[in-house]
Amino acid sequence: MGSFSIWHWLIVLLIVVMVFGTKKLRNLGGDLGGAVKGFKDGMKEGGAAAEDKTAAPAAQVANTAAPAEKTTIDVEAKTKS
């Protein structure tokens, strides 16, 4: 009574297919797969972003040591009528 046999699982699977239908189950599987893939890609990008952040302060110090030629941008403000 404590364990389920293969027949119990087949009956449960049959009931789930009858309730939800194969199309919804296929869409659910595709959505779940896309979510897992997106999570894995996010974890890879997170690791790359952490490595970039450690290199960024050194680049900022190098940029502040040699100031570039200053340029100005002229902007004309318009008033609301």
Side-chain angles (χ1 to χ4, degrees), residues 10-75:
L10 288 175
I11 292 171
V12 170
L13 179 65
L14 178 67
I15 291 171
V16 168
V17 168
M18 286 174 45
V19 169
F20 293 108
T22 57
K23 186 175 181 181
K24 284 187 181 180
L25 291 175
R26 190 178 326 124
N27 290 342
L28 179 68
D31 292 342
L32 182 63
V36 169
K37 182 179 179 184
F39 178 76
K40 286 182 180 180
D41 290 342
M43 292 299 290
K44 287 179 184 177
E45 290 176 6
E51 292 172 1
D52 291 343
K53 285 183 181 179
T54 58
Q60 289 175 352
V61 171
N63 287 340
T64 57
E69 183 179 316
K70 294 183 180 181
T71 58
T72 59
I73 300 174
D74 293 329
V75 179

